[in-house]
Amino acid sequence: MATADCVRGPAEGGSDLERPSVPDPWTELGHIVKREPVVKLHSPVSGLEPLSWSEDHRLSASCTGSISLMETVCDVHSFRQDLIIHRTSIPVPDTTCVLKVGPEKQVNKVKEKFATSKDPTVSQPFMLDRVLNPEGGILPPLRGFKYTSWSPLGCDANGRCLLASLTLDSRLTIHANLNRLEWTPLVDLTEAYGQMLEEKSYHLSGAGAPCQKLEDMSEYQHRHYMQCPVRMEWSSVCSTQKVQTNNECKDVGTVLLAVLLENGDVAVWQFQLPFTGKDSVVSCNTIQSGVSMPSVLAWWEYEHSGRKMSGLIVGSSVGPVKILPVNLKAVKGYFTLRQPVVLWQETDQIPVHNIKCISLYHPYQKCNCSLVVAARGSYLFWCLLLISKAGLNVHNSHVTGLHTTSIISMTASRYGGAIYTCSADSTVKKLTPIFTDVAVMFEQEQIRLPEGVAGRRTHGIAVSPNGAYLALVNTDGLTNGLHPASRSYQVQFVALKTPDEAAAELLESTIQNLFKQADLLDLVRWKVLKDKRIPPMLQEELDDKVHASGSTYLWRFKLFLFRVLYQSLQNTPSEVRWKPSHEETKVFIKDGESGISVKAAGREEGDEEEDSEDPKPTANQEENSSTSASEEQMSEIIAWIEAVESHLTREHMKRVLGEVYLHTWITENTSIPTRGVCDFLMSDPTYEDRAARVLIGHIFKKMNKQTFPEYCSLCKEVLPFTDRRQAVCSNGHMWLRCVLSYQACQTLTYRRCLLQDSIARHPVPDDPDWIKRILQGPCTFCDSPLF
C-alpha cells in the first residue's frame, strides 16, 4: 500500500478522470454571477440594515414576523451545484416589551394622566411615542426586528457565534444555536439593564441629579430613553485574568457588547466565554457619549506595537461622529484613548446611517492603520486613523457623486478592505481603498447585477466573510411604472469572485482553516462539480505546496477536492430522494403454498410477456460499459480519500500523544487509549516518521509495560484498538470512536461534525484541562465545529 506522501490527484494530461471542460459561465457574464437558490421570506423585512452575515457563515434577515436565518454549508456529500442552505428562524416575542420606569401602580396612574391631559403638547407626544406608550394609542403595536448583530467566533458553548437581536419595541435579547436547528434565548439585556437602573434609582454616577417626580413628563421620558436601545455591536474576543482557588491566575476569554441608548449613553456589557446565560455576565458599565440624537455605533479596534487599542465610534442623526474611550480593568493587552476624538463635528443635519471600521496595512508608513467609513445621506464619509511617533493622525473627507439617492445599506469585507454601498434606487457600488502619500483614495466600480436581480427594489446587502458572495434582500420593483398589488420579499446571492480567484486565495491563505473560508470553498466546489474534475493548475500547485510544507491545512484542502470530485462522478438520481414512490403493489399469497408473488397493480398478463423480451439491448450495453468505467474511477478516488484521511489521522494522533506525554506522569488516569493509539501507529510498516517513533518510545517507558485497555460498558470485555473509526469487543458490541481523543464513545449522547464527517465525545467534569482543550478542537478532516 502506498503511503499518503505519494497521493496525487489527476494529472493534467494523461488521467482517466479527465473530462471535457464545461464552458465557463464567467466567459459571457463576467465575475458577477447569480447563484441559486432564491430564499423567499415569509414576512416583509423591517428595521435598519436587515441583512447581517456572521463569521461562521450564517445570514440573518430581520422581518416583521421573525428573524429568518440561513446557514450556507459547503457540503462535500452533496452533488448539487446550488448553494446548500439550512434555514431556521427566531419568532417575534408574543408579549410587548414594557420598560420598567417605576412601581406598576404609579406608572399606570401617570400613563392615564398623560393620555387624558387637556394640554395637546403633553397628550399627543405621549400617544404617538411608541417608546413612552408601547401598548396604547391609536397606532397598531410594533412587531418586528429593528437590528441584529453577530458576535465573533468562539462565544457560545459550541465555539460558534451568538446573535444579539433588537425588536422594534426595544427588547434586546441574546440567542444561541445550541441544538443545531433550535435557537435558545439566553438573556434579556433590556430587562437586566432596567433592574440595574431601578436599584440605582435611575441615577447613574456622573449624571446630573434627576427629577424625583415620575409625574413630570421630562422625568418620565428620561427614564425611558436611558434604557431604550438604538444599536448594539460586539467587540472582538479578549482575555482577562481570573484568580483561582489555589491563587493561580488563569486566562479567561471575554467579549464586550456595546449598546447605544436613546439618550446618548452607551452600556458596555462584559461576558465570560463560553456565554451560557445570565451567570456569564461579568459587568456592565455606562459611558456618557455626549452625542445628541445618536443613530449608529461601531467598535474601533487598532493594533499597535503588539497592543490593542479600542474605542467606540458613535454617530448622530444630525451629523457629528466621534470616538469614545472605553476603560475596562483586567483586560489583557488592552488600552484605550485618553480622551474622545472627534472625527466629524459639523451639525449639518445629514444623518449617519451606518459605520464600518476596517483594519489595513499602510504600504508607505509600513504600519497598521484604521479606515473608518460612514454612510451619511448620499455621501460616504471616510477617516484614516494612523498612530505615529507624533501621536494619533486623523485624515478625513467625503466621497461625493457616489449615488444620486441616499445610501440605504453598506457592508464591508473583513479581509481586503472592499466596501459595498447600496442606494435607494438599488444601485450597488464597490469601493476599493488605494493609499497615497497623504491619505487614501477610492476606486469606484458599479456592480452590474445579473438578470433576475437587477431591476428589483433592494432593502439591504451583506457580503460573506471572505468576500466571495453578496447577499441582497429585495422585493418586486415597478412594472410599467406601477407598484405591484402584493410584494414578495426574497434573499438572492451573487458571486463576486471566480472559482480560480477563490482557489488562489485558499492556497495563499494565512487563516489555515477550511471552515472559516467556506464561502471561498463553495466556489471551488461549484467548479469541480460542473467540470467533473479538479482544475489541473490547482492540483499541481497544491501538490507542490503539500510536499514542500506538509501543512495539515493543505492536506485537508486536498481531501476536500477529492471528496467533491467523488460526488461529481456519481450518477444523479432521477427523482428526489425524499419523494415517495407512486407505484402501488399488490401481494398475492397462493393457498397451500409458502411462496409469495408480487405483481404491480394495474398491469395485465400481456405486460409480462412484453417484459420477457429485451428492449433496447444497445442502450443497456452502453450503460454497463459506462458503469464499469465509473466504478474503476470511483475505486481510485476512494483510495486517494482513504490515504489522505489516514495521513490526517496519524498527524492528529501524534498531537494527542504529545499532550499525553507532557501532561501525565503515568497514563493510567487518562481517558485516552494511549497504548492502542501507539500500537495503531506502529502497525503500518510503510509509516516512517522518526519523531513519532521517538515519542512512542518515551511513552512506552512511562507506561512501564502497562496497557490500561478500554472496557465495554455492556459486557466488560476489552475493546481492542484496531480501527480508528470504531471499537468492537469480542461479543460484537460496537462503539464509535471520538475523532479528537480516539476514546470509544460509550454514552447515549455525543457531538457531531457540521458536515457529518465524524463524532466526538462530550467532556466530563473528571477530565483534566488538557483533555478538555483537545475536545474543544474542530474536526480533523474538514475544520468544522462539532456540536
Side-chain angles (χ1 to χ4, degrees):
M1 178 179 175
T3 61
D5 292 336
C6 300
V7 177
R8 284 191 176 269
E12 187 173 356
S15 174
D16 296 335
L17 301 177
E18 189 116 8
R19 289 287 183 272
S21 61
V22 180
D24 209 348
W26 289 270
T27 304
E28 299 179 358
L29 300 178
H31 283 55
I32 312 301
V33 181
K34 181 184 176 182
R35 291 299 310 273
E36 298 292 340
V38 176
V39 180
K40 295 183 178 180
L41 303 179
H42 300 296
S43 55
V45 296
S46 62
L48 304 172
E49 296 289 345
L51 280 186
S52 180
W53 212 317
S54 69
E55 293 183 24
D56 57 356
H57 310 285
R58 289 184 287 190
L59 185 68
S60 62
S62 302
C63 303
T64 56
S66 64
I67 300 177
S68 181
L69 295 138
M70 295 147 277
E71 181 176 4
T72 56
V73 179
C74 189
D75 193 357
V76 294
H77 306 292
S78 174
F79 47 82
R80 293 173 51 195
Q81 296 182 16
D82 297 341
L83 282 170
I84 300 172
I85 298 176
H86 295 172
R87 294 193 63 180
T88 51
S89 65
I90 299 175
V92 174
D94 297 330
T95 59
T96 304
C97 178
V98 179
L99 300 178
K100 189 175 181 61
V101 295
E104 184 176 358
K105 292 183 179 179
Q106 185 180 2
V107 170
N108 292 335
K109 184 178 178 181
V110 169
K111 281 184 177 182
E112 184 179 358
K113 174 187 174 182
F114 292 154
T116 58
S117 175
K118 295 181 180 181
D119 186 357
T121 61
V122 175
S123 60
Q124 290 186 8
F126 174 78
M127 297 297 291
L128 296 178
D129 195 327
R130 309 311 303 274
V131 176
L132 305 180
N133 189 23
E135 294 180 327
I138 59 176
L139 299 176
L142 285 174
R143 288 186 59 83
F145 287 90
K146 183 178 181 180
Y147 189 69
T148 57
S149 179
W150 291 97
S151 75
L153 270 173
C155 290
D156 72 348
N158 296 322
R160 303 193 70 184
C161 298
L162 298 168
L163 179 63
S165 64
L166 176 62
T167 59
L168 292 175
D169 58 359
S170 305
R171 188 194 303 269
L172 176 57
T173 314
I174 297 179
H175 299 265
N177 185 203
L178 301 178
N179 297 327
R180 186 71 181 89
L181 297 177
E182 179 185 2
W183 287 86
T184 305
L186 299 180
V187 63
D188 186 344
L189 292 183
T190 301
E191 180 182 357
Y193 193 70
Q195 293 177 356
M196 186 188 73
L197 291 177
E198 184 181 15
E199 295 174 356
K200 296 182 178 180
S201 301
Y202 303 95
H203 177 65
L204 297 173
S205 59
C211 180
Q212 300 299 324
K213 294 183 179 179
L214 188 59
E215 292 80 4
D216 191 352
M217 186 64 174
S218 60
E219 172 65 14
Y220 187 78
Q221 290 177 340
H222 169 71
R223 293 191 182 186
H224 277 86
Y225 292 157
M226 71 185 307
Q227 54 182 315
C228 178
V230 177
R231 288 281 186 101
M232 65 285 182
E233 294 295 341
W234 297 87
S235 72
S236 61
V237 176
C238 51
S239 61
T240 59
Q241 289 189 343
K242 183 179 180 181
V243 180
Q244 297 179 307
T245 55
N246 57 355
N247 292 330
E248 291 183 357
C249 291
K250 178 182 178 183
D251 288 344
V252 178
T254 60
V255 69
L256 306 176
L257 178 66
V259 182
L260 181 63
L261 302 172
E262 190 74 35
N263 67 339
D265 292 345
V266 180
V268 181
W269 295 84
Q270 186 176 9
F271 304 130
Q272 181 177 332
L273 300 180
F275 184 81
T276 57
K278 205 169 184 178
D279 296 336
S280 300
V281 177
V282 178
S283 63
C284 178
N285 299 322
T286 304
I287 303 172
Q288 295 179 4
S289 67
V291 176
S292 61
M293 303 181 67
S295 61
V296 67
L297 178 74
W299 278 96
W300 175 64
E301 294 177 332
Y302 183 92
E303 188 171 354
H304 177 68
S305 300
R307 301 179 66 191
K308 292 183 179 180
M309 177 179 285
S310 185
L312 285 169
I313 308 174
V314 179
S316 171
S317 58
V318 294
V321 181
K322 65 190 303 186
I323 303 180
L324 304 176
V326 180
N327 294 305
L328 292 175
K329 297 180 179 180
V331 179
K332 190 176 181 181
Y334 171 93
F335 68 109
T336 187
L337 299 169
R338 295 181 179 179
Q339 58 186 2
V341 176
V342 178
L343 304 182
W344 184 256
Q345 61 182 357
E346 298 294 333
T347 307
D348 47 17
Q349 303 301 321
I350 301 178
V352 183
H353 173 74
N354 196 356
I355 296 177
K356 297 293 181 183
C357 184
I358 306 168
S359 298
L360 298 173
Y361 180 78
H362 202 296
Y364 297 99
Q365 301 294 332
K366 307 297 182 182
C367 63
N368 296 326
C369 62
S370 290
L371 179 63
V372 178
V373 290
R376 301 182 66 245
S378 59
Y379 309 114
L380 186 73
F381 170 76
W382 64 266
C383 182
L384 183 64
L385 301 172
L386 182 68
I387 295 180
S388 64
K389 296 180 178 179
L392 181 63
N393 298 325
V394 179
H395 303 274
N396 58 12
S397 183
H398 282 79
V399 179
T400 59
L402 185 62
H403 294 282
T404 57
T405 56
S406 298
I407 299 175
I408 61 172
S409 183
M410 182 179 67
T411 183
S413 177
R414 288 181 174 87
Y415 308 102
I419 304 159
Y420 299 88
T421 60
C422 178
S423 62
D425 59 359
S426 300
T427 301
V428 180
K429 288 196 174 182
K430 175 184 177 182
L431 292 93
T432 305
I434 300 175
F435 288 98
T436 63
D437 294 336
V438 179
V440 68
M441 59 182 296
F442 292 90
E443 178 185 352
Q444 300 182 23
E445 176 189 357
Q446 182 169 345
I447 302 297
R448 299 189 180 276
L449 299 177
E451 185 179 358
V453 182
R456 296 179 62 86
R457 183 182 178 185
T458 305
H459 294 271
I461 58 175
V463 67
S464 62
N466 298 280
Y469 290 114
L470 181 71
L472 304 95
V473 56
N474 50 35
T475 185
D476 305 317
L478 296 177
T479 305
N480 297 326
L482 300 175
H483 291 281
S486 61
R487 297 185 183 275
S488 59
Y489 292 81
Q490 60 188 25
V491 178
Q492 295 180 316
F493 297 89
V494 171
L496 298 175
K497 297 180 180 180
T498 64
D500 294 335
E501 293 173 347
E505 290 189 26
L506 288 169
L507 287 175
E508 302 296 334
S509 172
T510 58
I511 301 177
Q512 300 288 298
N513 187 288
L514 292 180
F515 173 72
K516 293 181 180 180
Q517 304 173 94
D519 51 345
L520 297 174
L521 273 178
D522 190 78
L523 287 176
V524 179
R525 169 184 169 271
W526 183 23
K527 185 174 181 62
V528 174
L529 288 177
K530 287 182 73 70
D531 297 348
K532 297 186 182 299
R533 65 168 186 172
I534 301 174
M537 295 298 294
L538 171 61
Q539 181 66 43
E540 182 180 355
E541 188 172 356
L542 179 59
D543 285 336
D544 293 341
K545 287 182 174 292
V546 164
H547 291 283
S549 65
S551 169
T552 55
Y553 161 74
L554 296 176
W555 278 99
R556 284 191 285 268
F557 189 22
K558 175 179 280 193
L559 176 62
F560 168 82
L561 294 175
F562 288 163
R563 285 177 167 180
V564 177
L565 178 63
Y566 176 79
Q567 292 294 332
S568 68
L569 297 178
Q570 287 189 346
N571 295 325
T572 306
S574 58
E575 294 184 358
V576 183
R577 294 179 178 179
W578 59 265
K579 191 176 182 180
S581 175
H582 294 287
E583 296 181 0
E584 298 179 1
T585 58
K586 292 181 180 179
V587 179
F588 299 94
I589 302 178
K590 298 180 181 180
D591 295 336
E593 296 181 6
S594 60
I596 298 177
S597 62
V598 180
K599 185 187 296 184
R603 303 188 70 184
E604 302 295 338
E605 295 180 358
D607 296 338
E608 298 178 2
E609 297 178 0
E610 295 178 2
D611 293 342
S612 62
E613 301 178 0
D614 277 340
K616 303 178 181 178
T618 307
N620 288 337
Q621 292 174 1
E622 292 178 357
E623 183 179 355
N624 291 336
S625 62
S626 63
T627 302
S628 61
S630 64
E631 288 179 355
E632 181 181 354
Q633 297 169 2
M634 292 295 187
S635 60
E636 186 177 1
I637 298 175
I638 290 174
W640 294 342
I641 293 174
E642 181 65 27
V644 178
E645 286 184 351
S646 299
H647 174 82
L648 291 172
T649 300
R650 289 195 291 263
E651 291 298 315
H652 186 67
M653 284 182 173
K654 286 166 51 180
R655 176 178 174 271
V656 172
L657 291 178
E659 295 288 336
V660 170
Y661 179 74
L662 290 176
H663 292 93
T664 57
W665 289 103
I666 58 173
T667 59
E668 179 181 5
N669 296 325
T670 69
S671 58
I672 294 176
T674 308
R675 185 72 185 220
V677 173
C678 294
D679 293 341
F680 182 83
L681 284 176
M682 300 291 290
S683 62
D684 188 1
T686 62
Y687 180 58
E688 297 181 0
D689 191 332
R690 186 175 181 276
R693 294 184 179 275
V694 171
L695 176 62
I696 291 173
H698 287 304
I699 290 178
F700 280 173
K701 290 181 181 179
K702 180 181 287 190
M703 294 181 70
N704 194 19
K705 298 182 180 180
Q706 300 295 320
T707 58
F708 307 118
E710 292 181 292
Y711 294 95
C712 178
S713 61
L714 296 178
C715 61
K716 307 304 179 183
E717 293 292 330
V718 174
L719 288 173
F721 199 109
T722 56
D723 191 349
R724 59 182 172 86
R725 297 184 183 90
Q726 62 186 19
V728 183
C729 70
S730 58
N731 292 327
H733 299 138
M734 184 186 71
W735 307 99
L736 297 177
R737 287 200 176 276
C738 171
V739 72
L740 299 178
S741 65
Y742 300 105
Q743 183 193 19
C745 297
Q746 303 189 54
T747 57
L748 297 177
T749 60
Y750 49 81
R751 296 179 295 155
R752 189 78 174 179
C753 171
L754 176 65
L755 299 184
Q756 311 296 315
D757 279 342
S758 53
I759 69 166
R761 72 180 183 92
H762 287 279
V764 295
D766 295 338
D767 288 334
D769 291 339
W770 63 273
I771 290 184
K772 292 179 180 179
R773 285 196 302 269
I774 291 177
L775 295 176
Q776 289 175 356
C779 176
T780 57
F781 301 127
C782 62
D783 286 329
S784 297
L786 297 114
F787 50 86

